[in-house]
Amino acid sequence: MTVSITLRNITHNFGSVTAINNLSVGVEHGTIFAIVGPSGAGKSTLLKIMATLLTPTQGSGYVNGQNLTARPWQIRKQIGYLGQQVVLDEQLTVLENLLLRCRFHGLTSEEAEARILGLAERFKLMEVLHELPRGLPYGMRRKIQLVRTLLTRPKILLLDEPTRSQDRQTGLAIWDYLREHKANLTIVLITSSMAEVEHVADLLIIMNHGFILADGSVDEVLFAQQPNQILEATVHDATKRECQ
């Protein structure tokens, strides 16, 4: 497979705190790549570096052949990034927010309408399209932000816990969408749900304190994390008949 994202010896410091410590990773096109780890492990920092929202203190990287630090705007044209914070224009309706995103990316009115209605129907947003975001629950606002990220059909999706604060039905709809489209995308997913990892991801890294503790296929990594099992057996003296 083609490698879409390559990071080599990446370190990122926030003052005296090292969030990413000499980390190297490659993400292949057509895969869902999960990042798991405790709070403060460096997961969101790593995703922001991939999205060119943070510049690494040291190291180098490429996203779809573009240098991470030299060509950030070319990279941003190819990615869809969903962060932890919800950033919507509170003076515009949900529909106007989505239309504005489409216009920024050069979609025609017909293209924009078709994509918005398709995703709004799929993710149950039809009833709130004409409402202002500020009056909506946080989970709904996160879902709107996700749909806005998907509208432009980016080549790379960088998603920071996309199912957080979502009900089970929405979570399953997101899983279905990612699996359905992964062949044409590169998807990097931060998640705290091992069920999500097992059902969606192809590859997995476990991070802590800016280091990668384990990486590989989901089956390989999860099997390696299993505690050693001790099997105890009692063998009695076999009689002559039992040996025949």
Side-chain angles (χ1 to χ4, degrees):
M1 286 188 178
T2 304
V3 177
S4 293
I5 302 173
T6 303
L7 302 180
R8 297 190 185 99
N9 307 116
I10 294 290
T11 294
H12 189 80
N13 300 324
F14 292 104
S16 60
V17 177
T18 301
I20 303 292
N21 201 326
N22 197 35
L23 182 149
S24 297
V25 69
V27 183
E28 295 179 344
H29 176 78
T31 61
I32 300 178
F33 184 93
I35 304 173
V36 177
S39 178
K43 307 183 301 294
S44 294
T45 299
L46 179 60
L47 202 70
K48 288 178 180 178
I49 289 173
M50 292 180 182
T52 74
L53 298 176
L54 288 176
T55 302
T57 307
Q58 295 179 356
S60 62
Y62 290 86
V63 176
N64 275 357
Q66 304 289 339
N67 187 286
L68 197 65
T69 54
R71 303 179 71 84
W73 287 106
Q74 285 76 7
I75 292 173
R76 290 178 192 179
K77 291 176 182 178
Q78 304 180 61
I79 66 172
Y81 170 76
L82 176 71
Q84 294 267 349
Q85 293 184 325
V86 176
V87 183
L88 298 169
D89 191 322
E90 302 291 349
Q91 306 304 313
L92 301 178
T93 66
V94 172
L95 177 59
E96 289 167 339
N97 269 279
L98 299 177
L99 284 170
L100 188 61
R101 174 79 167 188
C102 291
R103 288 180 187 138
F104 280 156
H105 286 262
L107 273 68
T108 66
S109 298
E110 292 76 14
E111 289 173 327
E113 181 179 358
R115 293 188 190 184
I116 290 171
L117 292 179
L119 287 168
E121 179 72 30
R122 180 161 191 165
F123 291 103
K124 311 300 182 189
L125 292 177
M126 295 295 290
E127 294 182 2
V128 301
L129 284 178
H130 299 289
E131 296 188 30
L132 294 174
R134 64 170 173 259
L136 300 173
Y138 175 76
M140 181 68 74
R141 290 158 56 86
R142 283 269 297 171
K143 186 160 58 170
I144 293 164
Q145 183 117 336
L146 172 65
V147 166
R148 193 177 70 166
T149 301
L150 301 176
L151 274 175
T152 57
R153 297 179 181 172
K155 297 178 181 178
I156 296 174
L157 276 176
L158 305 175
L159 307 175
D160 198 336
E161 298 202 56
T163 58
R164 184 166 63 91
S165 301
Q166 302 298 339
D167 57 42
R168 178 167 174 76
Q169 185 178 12
T170 300
L172 292 174
I174 293 171
W175 290 4
D176 287 344
Y177 183 94
L178 296 181
R179 285 190 297 243
E180 181 181 323
H181 290 84
K182 76 170 188 174
N184 299 315
L185 290 171
T186 302
I187 301 171
V188 182
L189 169 75
I190 292 176
T191 180
S192 57
S193 166
M194 293 313 295
E196 190 161 73
V197 170
E198 292 187 71
H199 284 84
V200 177
D202 302 300
L203 301 169
L204 168 68
I205 61 172
I206 298 176
M207 291 184 63
N208 198 18
H209 299 300
F211 293 97
I212 294 177
L213 301 183
D215 69 288
S217 72
V218 171
D219 288 343
E220 289 171 346
V221 174
L222 294 184
F223 180 78
Q225 301 307 306
Q226 304 260 341
N228 291 330
Q229 296 181 344
I230 299 175
L231 301 179
E232 190 173 288
T234 301
V235 180
H236 62 277
D237 292 334
T239 66
K240 181 177 179 182
R241 182 176 179 181
E242 289 172 325
C243 293
Q244 289 177 342

